[in-house]
Amino acid sequence: MAVWFTSDTHFGDPRILRIDKRPYADLATHDAALITAWNAVVGPEDDVWHLGDFALGSSDSRIAAILGSLSGTKHLIIGNNDGAGTLHAPGWATIAHYAEITVDARRLVLCHYAFRTWNGIGRGAVNLHGHSHNKLKPIPRQYDVGVDAQGPAPISLAAILVSRRRRTTPWASVEP
């Protein structure tokens, strides 16, 4: 079982193509590409922590269909754009505003929002967040796991921890 992280997929949100300049011709292509990227890396026994802003603008049934099409056991950390359709969609193993977990012997503090300080910061804990769409200057041991920072597929902790060494944009391998 692997553990993956992502955030700010914004399924069904027409603003996302314009605001964040994601490289897709239309929203249907965007949503399909993110679903395909997710299922290409996440296996049925894997855990995925989605750190908020899963979907916006779609019907409740569409949100449920998208969630149901994604592999793995899915955990939601609530974001500012997660409405009732997302929160009530069947398929979330857990839903919370905040979580502390341990992955690969590393303590992680998970929230949709970036923190200036967090529990365990002085003992090496890492803060994973979304919300900033790769526009926030990172501080040590803090990582934006959103698709605009890390790419369309959920990402492993090992890849997150070396992501600042990457020389290409997260969308470099995506075909519009």
Side-chain angles (χ1 to χ4, degrees), residues 32-85:
L34 266 62
I35 291 167
T36 298
W38 179 305
N39 289 333
V41 300
V42 177
E45 302 301 316
D46 294 349
D47 279 330
V48 181
W49 288 87
H50 192 294
L51 304 190
D53 289 1
F54 179 76
L56 182 70
S58 292
S59 68
D60 292 358
S61 61
R62 175 72 179 133
I63 292 171
I66 291 169
L67 186 59
S69 73
L70 299 171
S71 295
T73 300
K74 297 163 287 280
H75 305 271
L76 177 66
I77 300 296
I78 301 168
N80 59 302
N81 287 304
D82 290 320

Side-chain angles (χ1 to χ4, degrees), residues 121 125 130 147 169 174:
I121 189 173
V147 299
T169 67
V174 174

Side-chain angles (χ1 to χ4, degrees), residues 20 26 37 77 91 101 149 161 163-164:
D20 288 313
D26 54 48
I77 300 296
I101 65 172
L161 296 176
S163 64
R164 293 192 186 135

